[in-house]
Amino acid sequence: MIKPTFDRKRIPGYARYSHIQENLKILFHRMQRAVLVLLKWLACACISGVAIGLVGAAFHHALSEVSSFRAHFPDMLFLLPVAGLFIVAMYRVAGDAARGTNLVITAIHSNVEIPARMAPLIILSTLLTHLCGGSAGREGAALQVGGSLGNCFAKLLHFDEKDTRIMLMCGMSACFAALFGTPVAAAVFSMEVISVGIMYYAALVPCVISALIADGISTLCGIDGTSFTVGEFPAMSLLTGSKMIAVSIVFALASILLCIALHRTSEWLAEKLENPYLRITVAGLAVIILRFIVGSPDYLGAGTDIIAKSFTASCAWYVCVLKIIFTAVTLGGGFKGGEIVPTLFVGATLGSFLAPLFG
């Protein structure tokens, strides 16, 4: 006796049902994978936020202490050339770590190895620069410390090239947020600084979470975010908008001048003084001479106190120009730090000078 066969494929609509079922399976697997990836990056962001946030908070406290010490003992400025010699010696021993922030950016693009020794090197050299009055910021240290520690975590977790890139940006965001207390700006800056005009949106969620956690750790350690008191805001009108456009052009020209001064000074000193020990010694002596020529210590260190004063008192036109010169000589000579705070100094003091002129 022949049993009748049952072919499900001959049922009306079966092909369509089977196609939907297959698509649902694919969708489920994609969602499952997306959830696992999200959980992985949530965990990584938390780890980097806590660990690098603690390092950043400790670094912030150390910077505050050395800046306060220099303010109480202004003669520390005369040790700036000696501090420079120590910095060059440390980096000569370190090898590739001497490339600094450029090495971090290269690593994100091409998966170049970032040595773990970069973190303590940039911390020590930045502290020495600030202790002895070099005109520099601190975001360069934040990027290098965060990138170095982020790379260490990526190696421990055996991440591939793509995940290592995101972990580097998480570390940079965390350290920047811990130092400045600006988590959203830290996350965006880390994703922007790699390539002009390009945002790495794949790193958005982990970078934001890492920055927020690091900022929270920094706050728990008693560090207040960088902030300045602003009085009343002018009402928006056609006249106010026109003034803002005009001053924005002036600010853009000032930023171009700052960038040119930084790069040209560095190139000129490297060309004229090939020996890095001689170069940084001359730069240190130049900063000392400039300080006594202008007769004020306002242009030494980061200058956040002058930024705060610029919101309440008008500055002379030459204040921003002198800060550009001090910063260009300091960083061009080989001292370590960053350019963000000097940039804020230049913008704030220039704005303070322009404010009365534009009403």
Side-chain angles (χ1 to χ4, degrees):
M1 181 177 179
I2 301 174
K3 294 182 180 180
T5 58
F6 177 70
D7 188 0
R8 290 181 299 176
K9 294 181 179 179
R10 298 180 65 180
I11 298 175
Y14 175 80
R16 183 180 178 185
Y17 169 75
S18 178
H19 181 67
I20 293 174
Q21 190 178 36
E22 189 65 28
N23 284 341
L24 287 174
K25 286 182 179 179
I26 294 172
L27 179 62
F28 175 77
H29 286 303
R30 286 180 177 176
M31 289 179 64
Q32 188 179 39
R33 187 169 59 182
V35 170
L36 290 174
V37 170
L38 177 61
L39 291 175
K40 179 184 80 171
W41 282 114
L42 285 175
C44 290
C46 290
I47 292 170
S48 64
V50 172
I52 299 175
L54 287 170
V55 174
F59 182 37
H60 190 288
H61 274 302
L63 277 174
S64 298
E65 289 298 323
V66 298
S67 298
S68 177
F69 185 84
R70 179 180 54 79
H72 285 90
F73 299 96
D75 289 343
M76 290 297 298
L77 176 64
F78 294 106
L79 294 178
L80 186 60
V82 179
L85 294 175
F86 275 108
I87 291 171
V88 173
M90 288 190 298
Y91 275 88
R92 289 295 290 268
V93 173
D96 281 347
R99 292 172 59 191
T101 305
N102 289 333
L103 180 59
V104 177
I105 295 174
T106 302
I108 292 177
H109 284 301
S110 57
N111 201 31
V112 174
E113 185 69 21
I114 301 178
R117 59 184 178 273
M118 176 182 283
L121 273 174
I122 188 62
I123 288 174
L124 287 173
S125 57
T126 302
L127 290 175
L128 282 172
T129 299
H130 282 256
L131 176 65
C132 298
S135 177
R138 56 185 186 266
E139 93 292 339
L143 298 182
Q144 292 178 47
V145 170
S148 175
L149 296 179
N151 185 73
C152 289
F153 286 132
K155 285 175 63 179
L156 289 173
L157 297 170
H158 303 289
F159 279 173
D160 59 18
E161 182 178 341
K162 181 181 177 182
D163 287 350
T164 298
R165 182 181 297 120
I166 296 176
M167 200 66 194
L168 287 175
M169 286 187 275
C170 280
M172 292 158 64
S173 300
C175 199
F176 194 102
L179 283 175
F180 286 90
T182 52
V184 176
V188 174
F189 180 76
S190 298
M191 292 186 294
E192 269 188 336
V193 74
I194 307 307
S195 296
V196 177
I198 297 176
M199 285 281 286
Y200 287 84
Y201 291 105
L204 179 60
V205 172
C207 281
V208 169
I209 293 172
S210 182
L212 287 170
I213 292 174
D215 179 54
I217 294 292
S218 182
T219 302
L220 289 174
C221 292
I223 297 172
D224 296 324
T226 303
S227 61
F228 304 102
T229 302
V230 180
E232 60 180 299
F233 288 89
M236 190 60 195
S237 64
L238 182 60
L239 178 61
T240 305
S242 301
K243 291 179 179 179
M244 289 301 166
I245 292 172
V247 296
S248 295
I249 294 172
V250 179
F251 291 140
L253 293 173
S255 69
I256 293 170
L257 175 62
L258 174 61
C259 291
I260 291 175
L262 289 171
H263 289 103
R264 293 288 174 83
T265 304
S266 178
E267 293 172 358
W268 185 82
L269 287 173
E271 179 184 349
K272 299 298 181 181
L273 303 169
E274 295 183 5
N275 187 305
Y277 291 100
L278 178 60
R279 182 163 62 245
I280 204 165
T281 301
V282 170
L285 292 172
V287 170
I288 295 171
I289 293 169
L290 285 170
R291 181 259 179 266
F292 286 100
I293 288 175
V294 301
S296 171
D298 290 349
Y299 310 99
L300 304 176
T304 51
D305 54 334
I306 306 302
I307 297 175
K309 289 179 183 177
S310 68
F311 283 91
T312 56
S314 181
C315 295
W317 65 269
Y318 55 81
V319 173
C320 61
V321 177
L322 288 175
K323 185 61 175 179
I324 291 175
I325 295 171
F326 272 80
T327 305
V329 173
T330 299
L331 297 180
F335 290 96
K336 303 299 178 181
E339 303 162 7
I340 290 290
V341 180
T343 302
L344 298 180
F345 185 112
V346 171
T349 53
L350 178 58
S352 178
F353 166 71
L354 294 175
L357 301 180
F358 283 84

